[in-house]
Amino acid sequence: MSSSELSKERQYVGVLYARLDELRDEAQRQLEAVRRSSAGGTHQNRSERDSFARVYEDRVVQLRQIDERLAFGRLEFVPDGDDPAFRYIGRIGLRDDDQLPILLDWRVPQARAFYQATAATPLGARARRHLQSQGRDIVRIDDEIFDRELLEGDPSGLQGEAALLSALTAQRTGRMSDIVATIQAEQDAIIRSELRGVLVVQGGPGTGKTAVALHRAAYLLYSFRERLASSGVLIVGPSRSFLQYIEAVLPSLGETGVVLSSVGQLFPGLDTSRDDAPDIASLKGSFEMAQLIARAVRSRQVVPTQPQVLDINGEYLTVDAHLIHAAMQRAWETKKPHNVARVVFNKAALSALARQLAEQLRSHGNTIEDSDQAWLREDLRTSDDVKVALNTAWLPLTPQKLLQDLYARPQWLAALTPNWRPAQRALLLRDRAAPFTVSDVPLLDEAAELLGEADIATDAEKREAKQQRKRDIENAEQAIRNMDVEGLVDAKTLADGFEQAVERGTTAELAAADRTWAYGHVVVDEAQELSPMQWRLLMRRNPLKSFTIVGDIAQASAAAGATSWAGALEPHVGDNWRIEELTVNYRTPAQISEVAESMAIAHAVNITRSRAVRESEWPVDVVRTDSLAAAVVETVRSDRALQVRGTVAVIASESLLPDIYPALAVEFGVEVGRGAVGLARAIAVLTPQESKGLEFDSVIVVEPQRIVDEISRGAAALYVAMTRPTQRLHLVTTGELPAGI
C-alpha cells in the first residue's frame, strides 16, 4: 500500500472530522443560547424558544451519533470544470464554510455510483476507493479501477483485501453494524426503490435482508424528509432481542426519528413477549377472530325486551323498549365505533326521555316551559335508574375488558360462536387475570378499533383547541420569517412542537403512544411470521399502504405464519405489491449453508436458495454425548479458545434451557446472558425463535432433533438456528441427528 496515498486520505478525513466537530460545537452553542433565553414574553416568543430548542437538540443528537467511519469511500472522475475529480462518500453530508460539499451523504443520487459502478458500467467513475478505519484513523485503502489508463502509471497502493470480505470476516459484537460502506449493487437497487406501494424483499439466510431494510428506512427518511418527518417510520421486528440487536444501526446513519417495536409492543401500554401454545396462537391469528370480536362488541348493545319503570326524583316514568331502540338506531346510523356512538345514543335517549317526562309532568297539572328542558335533562342524567337503564343498553367498554370477558365467560363465548366446535372454544378459555400474550395484541387492537374512545370534550373545549391550533400555526409562520429559515422548516411541523397545556414529545414518542397514529412508512422484518390478524393491525398503522417487508417464507416457524406472500398480503392490498429477491449469502459460510439446506430439503421445507460467497476454515462440528450440559460447556470452552473475543450463541428449545443455562453460568459467570441480555455478553443463550435475524461468530445448536419435534414448524426453526453463524457451527446431541445432516 502506498504510504503517500494513505497519508493523503488521513489528512483529508482529518479535515472532515474537524468540520464535524465545528458543527457539533455550533449546534451546542445554539442550543445553549436558546435555553438561556427568557421564558417570558408572548406565547409566540415561548413557542419560538421551545420549538427551536427541539430543532437544535435533534441536531446535537444526530451529530453525536456520527463519529466512527464518518467517511468510508471515494469516487474518482475525470475533472470537468468546477466539478471536483474526487467525491468522498460518508454517513452524512458536510459542507465547508463556503457551503461547498466536502462529503456526500451516501443517500444522494451523486453517490449511487459508489454502489452501482462496475468495470462494464462505470457510471462515469474512473475508480472507487474504500476507506477502512479504526476510530477516526484511516488504516487501509482498497481500490477498484474502472479506467485502464489509471493502471498504466504507478499502481502501488491499488487492490488489497476487498472491503466486503473484510467486513464479513470481522468479529461480531452482539450488535448489528450498518453496511453503508459495503452495500452491494443488488442491495442498493432495493434500498433506493420507490416509496409507493408494498415492497417485499425475499431472501434466504445471510443475504442481508435486515440490513437492506434498515438502510432503506434511512434512505427514505432522507429522500422524503418532508413527508416522513411528521408521520414517522415504524420498524417492526420479531422480538426484543432482535430490536436490541439492530437499535444502533439507524442512529449511526444519522436517523433517530423512528419507532422500533416488536409485535408484542404494538398496543400502547402493553409490552409482552409471552407466546401462546401453537394451536391457540393459530386460532387467535385467524381472520375468524375479527368476526368474533365484532359480534362481541355488537352484543354489548342490548335492546330491552319489555318496558322499564324509572324513578326520576320521585316521578316514576314508564319507558317503552321502542324509545331505547330508536335512540340506538340513531347511534347505529352514524357508523361510529361503540364508545363514540354511545355518546350519540345517550344524547338521543336523554332527549326522548326529557320529552316524555315533560309530557307526564304536564298531565299531572305542572307547567313545563321549553326553558325547563335543561333541568329535566339534568334530573335524568343524575338519576341512578336512568344510568342503569342506559348502561345496560349500551355499556362503555375497554379493549382489555372485552377480551378478558370473552376468554373468561364460556356461556357468552358459546353464544357468540354457535358454529364452532367445543374444542375450538376451549382454546380461548382462560382466567380473567391471565396476562395478555403476543397473539392477543392484534385482538386488543381490533377491539380498540371497533370500540373507539368516548369524546368527553365539550364543544367549547373543541372550539378553543381549534383556535389555539390556528394561533400556533400563525406564530410558527412568523417565527420562521423572524429566524430567516423559510424553506427549511414547515410551519405545521413547527407548530407541533409549541409549548402547550400538555407536555409533547418527539414524533417517535407521540407515535409510539398513539394507537391511531398513521405512519408514513412501515418496515416489517421476519414478516413471514405474522398472522393474518397481525397483518390486519399493521395495515391500520399505515393507511397509505407504504411498506417494506423483508423475510423468507422458508424460515416461517410461527403456527399462524404465512405460507406465501400472496396469501399474506393480497387480502389487504390486492395486487399492489412487488417482490425483489436477494440471492447472495454474505453471512453463512458455504459448508454451513450446504448442511442447513440439506436438512431443510429432507424435511420438505421450501427454502429460498442463495449463493454463499465464501467458506470458513472450520467444517460443521458434530458432538455426540451422554451428558448434554457438560458437553455444551466444553464445546463453548473449546470454541472460545479459537476466537476469544468473538460472540457465541447457544441455541436450544425452551425445554432444555433450565439445565443448560445454569451449567454455563457456573462455568462462565457474567459472560453468559439469557435472551436479549445475552446480546451484550460474549455468550448468548437463546431459543430458535429469539435467534431470528441475529448473527454470531459461532453457534452451538443443542439437540437439533428436539427443535424439530417440539416447535411448530420445527424444521424451519432448526434451519434458522443453523444459519446464524458467520464462522463455526457445532451440533451437540445425545441421540440421532435430524434427516439430511
Side-chain angles (χ1 to χ4, degrees):
M1 183 184 301
S2 167
S3 59
S4 62
E5 284 295 306
L6 186 60
S7 177
K8 289 178 183 176
E9 299 299 0
R10 285 173 172 166
Q11 183 178 0
Y12 190 86
V13 172
V15 171
L16 297 178
Y17 274 111
R19 181 58 176 162
L20 177 66
D21 290 338
E22 288 176 7
L23 294 174
R24 283 175 175 169
D25 292 342
E26 180 182 346
Q28 187 64 43
R29 285 194 302 270
Q30 290 170 326
L31 174 59
E32 291 171 356
V34 169
R35 285 174 173 170
R36 287 195 302 268
S37 64
S38 172
T42 65
H43 174 76
Q44 179 178 333
N45 295 143
R46 295 192 299 273
S47 297
E48 289 182 15
R49 181 204 61 187
D50 293 344
S51 300
F52 282 99
R54 177 170 297 159
V55 171
Y56 296 137
E57 285 169 356
D58 290 345
R59 181 63 170 163
V60 168
V61 169
Q62 180 198 44
L63 293 175
R64 283 178 178 169
Q65 295 283 356
I66 304 293
D67 199 277
E68 191 165 342
R69 294 187 298 161
L70 171 63
F72 51 78
R74 189 191 77 178
L75 288 169
E76 182 175 349
F77 295 86
V78 174
D80 182 16
D82 294 333
D83 291 338
F86 299 111
R87 294 179 189 168
Y88 282 82
I89 315 299
R91 297 173 176 278
I92 60 172
L94 294 177
R95 293 177 178 269
D96 60 17
D97 290 332
D98 297 322
Q99 294 304 300
L100 296 175
I102 55 176
L103 181 66
L104 293 179
D105 190 296
W106 66 277
R107 293 165 286 196
V108 301
Q110 298 92 320
R112 188 166 189 167
F114 185 77
Y115 303 108
Q116 293 283 344
T118 64
T121 311
L123 301 178
R126 305 183 72 200
R128 171 170 52 215
R129 170 168 289 180
H130 295 272
L131 308 176
Q132 298 185 36
S133 59
Q134 291 179 356
R136 291 189 166 195
D137 187 30
I138 301 299
V139 297
R140 185 182 184 89
I141 55 177
D142 294 291
D143 286 301
E144 298 171 75
I145 305 303
F146 307 134
D147 187 341
R148 297 177 64 88
E149 291 183 6
L150 293 177
L151 294 173
E152 295 174 0
D154 179 11
S156 61
L158 302 180
Q159 310 307 317
E161 183 183 26
L164 175 61
L165 185 59
S166 176
L168 294 178
T169 57
Q171 288 183 335
R172 268 45 191 173
T173 64
R175 292 289 185 276
M176 187 178 197
S177 299
D178 63 73
I179 60 166
V180 66
T182 58
I183 292 171
Q184 301 301 292
E186 73 169 1
Q187 296 173 328
D188 185 67
I190 294 172
I191 289 169
R192 297 175 192 267
S193 180
E194 58 187 336
L195 176 61
R196 67 167 183 83
V198 176
L199 171 65
V200 176
V201 183
Q202 164 79 19
T207 53
K209 298 184 298 296
T210 297
V212 166
L214 294 176
H215 287 70
R216 175 162 167 77
Y219 171 78
L220 294 176
L221 282 164
Y222 179 88
S223 301
F224 301 92
R225 180 77 62 190
E226 184 174 340
R227 170 176 165 180
L228 297 179
S230 59
S231 58
V233 171
L234 172 65
I235 297 178
V236 180
S239 64
R240 294 174 186 167
S241 57
F242 175 84
L243 297 180
Q244 185 172 323
Y245 179 66
I246 68 169
E247 65 184 357
V249 174
L250 285 168
S252 74
L253 298 172
E255 299 297 346
T256 57
V258 298
V259 175
L260 298 179
S261 177
S262 68
V263 178
Q265 296 170 319
L266 284 173
F267 190 78
L270 181 63
D271 183 355
T272 180
S273 58
R274 185 184 298 269
D275 288 317
D276 284 303
D279 51 353
I280 299 174
S282 182
L283 175 58
K284 288 183 178 180
S286 69
F287 282 130
E288 283 185 281
M289 293 302 295
Q291 300 166 7
L292 172 58
I293 291 171
R295 291 196 298 271
V297 171
R298 187 61 181 263
S299 75
R300 305 317 252 168
Q301 301 161 11
V302 182
V303 179
T305 57
Q306 57 188 9
Q308 303 173 75
V309 179
L310 308 181
D311 181 357
I312 318 295
N313 288 338
E315 186 74 25
Y316 290 93
L317 191 67
T318 300
V319 181
D320 288 337
H322 80 269
L323 183 148
I324 300 297
H325 182 268
M328 297 178 82
Q329 188 64 43
R330 290 278 301 277
W332 291 329
E333 289 170 357
T334 68
K335 300 187 182 304
K336 293 180 178 178
H338 175 90
N339 289 329
V340 181
R342 179 178 175 269
V343 177
V344 178
F345 162 71
N346 280 344
K347 288 181 178 179
L350 287 172
S351 295
L353 288 171
R355 288 192 297 271
Q356 182 178 339
L357 180 58
E359 290 172 3
Q360 181 168 309
L361 290 173
R362 290 189 187 103
S363 70
H364 294 166
N366 296 291
T367 301
I368 303 296
E369 306 291 344
D370 290 344
S371 59
D372 295 326
Q373 287 293 321
W375 65 261
L376 289 178
R377 289 175 65 89
E378 185 62 26
D379 283 349
L380 289 164
R381 188 179 291 110
T382 57
S383 165
D384 289 339
D385 279 11
V386 172
K387 289 178 182 177
V388 170
L390 297 186
N391 282 340
T392 300
W394 200 304
L395 189 69
L397 290 169
T398 66
Q400 295 86 341
K401 178 72 163 53
L402 182 77
L403 216 57
Q404 288 166 339
D405 285 349
L406 192 63
Y407 293 156
R409 296 174 57 186
Q411 290 182 334
W412 185 37
L413 178 60
L416 293 171
T417 56
N419 297 323
W420 284 25
R421 292 174 286 103
Q424 197 175 7
R425 295 190 197 104
L427 294 174
L428 294 183
L429 295 178
R430 72 182 192 196
D431 186 82
R432 191 183 304 276
F436 289 116
T437 66
V438 172
S439 299
D440 288 325
V441 169
L443 307 186
L444 289 167
D445 192 77
E446 185 77 22
E449 189 74 9
L450 295 174
L451 293 173
E453 295 184 7
D455 186 359
I456 60 174
T458 66
D459 291 340
E461 288 172 334
K462 293 178 185 177
R463 286 194 297 272
E464 174 56 28
K466 186 176 181 179
Q467 290 300 316
Q468 183 61 60
R469 174 65 175 173
K470 181 179 179 182
R471 289 193 295 269
D472 284 343
I473 293 176
E474 290 173 351
N475 289 338
E477 292 171 346
Q478 184 60 47
I480 290 170
R481 288 191 290 270
N482 292 345
M483 301 290 287
D484 193 24
V485 289
E486 291 180 272
L488 300 178
V489 182
D490 175 72
K492 290 184 179 179
T493 302
L494 189 59
D496 289 336
F498 281 2
E499 183 179 74
Q500 297 184 20
V502 295
E503 181 180 354
R504 295 183 63 86
T506 64
T507 296
E509 291 167 342
L510 291 170
D514 184 355
R515 192 198 66 82
T516 63
W517 190 274
Y519 290 93
H521 191 74
V522 177
V523 177
V524 188
D525 206 340
E526 299 295 343
Q528 72 279 353
E529 302 297 337
L530 297 185
S531 70
M533 288 300 293
Q534 288 166 340
W535 278 117
R536 191 173 169 92
L537 179 158
L538 287 175
M539 292 296 164
R540 280 196 287 268
R541 296 296 188 270
N542 182 245
L544 295 176
K545 304 296 189 289
S546 176
F547 280 78
T548 298
I549 294 167
V550 298
D552 179 14
I553 292 295
Q555 296 185 57
S557 59
T563 56
S564 72
W565 292 122
L569 297 175
E570 287 181 359
H572 308 285
V573 299
D575 60 358
N576 186 30
W577 63 282
R578 61 196 190 278
I579 189 167
E580 298 283 352
E581 290 202 53
L582 293 170
T583 60
V584 180
N585 185 338
Y586 297 101
R587 177 181 65 223
T588 316
Q591 65 269 38
I592 295 177
S593 63
E594 288 171 5
V595 173
E597 288 182 359
S598 175
M599 181 282 302
I601 292 170
H603 289 82
V605 177
N606 186 23
I607 63 172
T608 304
R609 287 191 173 274
S610 57
R611 175 174 55 84
V613 298
R614 65 188 178 92
E615 291 189 358
S616 68
E617 58 185 287
W618 298 279
V620 175
D621 175 37
V622 177
V623 179
R624 300 184 182 276
T625 181
D626 294 326
S627 178
L628 193 63
V632 172
V633 170
E634 179 56 35
T635 303
V636 173
R637 184 188 299 112
S638 300
D639 188 272
R640 298 196 73 210
L642 297 173
Q643 194 175 11
V644 176
R645 290 182 294 178
T647 57
V648 178
V650 177
I651 303 177
S653 59
E654 191 78 45
S655 64
L656 293 175
L657 297 185
D659 293 327
I660 295 172
Y661 181 71
L664 289 168
V666 168
E667 179 68 23
F668 299 104
V670 296
E671 292 184 289
V672 180
R674 170 74 182 90
V677 174
L679 299 182
R681 311 283 174 84
I683 304 166
V685 181
L686 305 163
T687 65
Q689 294 92 329
E690 291 171 332
S691 72
K692 279 184 172 296
L694 312 183
E695 61 182 41
F696 304 88
D697 292 293
S698 180
V699 169
I700 299 166
V701 178
V702 184
E703 292 288 28
Q705 187 61 51
R706 287 187 67 163
I707 292 176
V708 174
D709 295 339
E710 295 181 3
I711 297 176
S712 173
R713 302 188 186 181
L718 177 58
Y719 179 59
V720 170
M722 292 177 66
T723 53
R724 298 307 96 192
T726 64
Q727 301 295 339
R728 296 174 296 281
L729 173 63
H730 309 273
L731 305 175
V732 181
T733 182
T734 59
E736 294 299 317
L737 291 171
I741 299 180

